[in-house]
Amino acid sequence: MAEEFGNYLRQLREEKGLTINQLAALAGISGAQISRMENGLRGVPKPATLRKIAEATGVSYEELMSKAGYLTGADSHNEDTVPEWATSKDKRDFRQMLEDDGELMFDGIPLNKEDKQRIKDVLTGLFWEAKQMNKRTPKPKRDPRSGH
């Protein structure tokens, strides 16, 4: 998967007319890191890194997440259904909440824009990491005799 993503990233960078160093500067990551990604030496980048690359190249974050193997067809259609009883507050996207201009506090301390971005990046990485682990872990089969 890392090699496939690396080839995709190289092709994307070249289509955008960018050198490794130009993409690195735009994304705020090192040229060495991009080179390792393109050559399949680094592994699949974390979602926070993919977001930086998406913003730098103008490609959608979802497309990069898909190319990196974080999203499959089922993920893009939200396999986790929301219960009918859920209110609009229950359904509120946490990422959106962090992007809103309203004041958020943690432990009684107001969060500034940088704090919110750091939290969003960490949560994004953890969320997609958990999704990947759920795909790799076979779900236990139910035993019809025991009812479990």
Side-chain angles (χ1 to χ4, degrees):
M1 179 52 84
E3 193 172 324
E4 279 178 42
F5 180 79
N7 291 334
Y8 166 77
L9 181 59
R10 177 179 286 116
Q11 183 179 2
L12 173 65
R13 178 180 56 75
E14 290 172 352
E15 284 174 9
K16 299 290 180 179
L18 298 170
T19 66
I20 287 176
N21 290 331
Q22 288 171 329
L23 177 57
L26 288 170
I29 54 181
S30 75
Q33 187 176 2
I34 291 174
S35 179
R36 286 192 302 269
M37 281 186 260
E38 287 187 358
N39 292 308
L41 302 174
R42 184 186 179 277
V44 176
K46 293 180 179 173
T49 302
L50 292 175
R51 180 167 299 284
K52 291 176 183 179
I53 294 170
E55 290 169 0
T57 59
V59 171
S60 80
Y61 177 60
E62 288 75 20
E63 180 178 335
L64 287 178
M65 289 292 287
S66 179
K67 294 287 186 183
Y70 287 103
L71 296 177
T72 62
D75 289 327
S76 59
H77 291 91
N78 195 7
E79 63 198 29
D80 304 320
T81 56
V82 178
E84 288 179 26
W85 51 264
T87 67
S88 60
K89 272 192 165 184
D90 294 329
K91 296 177 193 175
R92 186 162 187 203
D93 189 313
F94 192 69
R95 186 171 137 218
Q96 183 64 43
M97 186 173 71
L98 288 168
E99 291 172 354
D100 285 350
D101 286 335
E103 186 173 63
L104 278 180
M105 312 248 303
F106 182 81
D107 205 19
I109 301 169
L111 301 175
N112 63 27
K113 194 171 191 141
E114 292 79 24
D115 296 333
K116 289 180 183 181
Q117 184 62 48
R118 267 191 237 107
I119 291 168
K120 191 170 70 170
D121 290 345
V122 169
L123 289 175
T124 299
L126 291 172
F127 175 79
W128 291 113
E129 191 175 299
K131 292 286 262 184
Q132 282 297 98
M133 291 191 62
N134 285 340
K135 287 180 194 169
R136 287 188 224 127
T137 307
K139 296 189 176 169
K141 295 186 179 176
R142 293 182 66 185
D143 183 350
R145 293 170 285 156
S146 70
H148 292 81

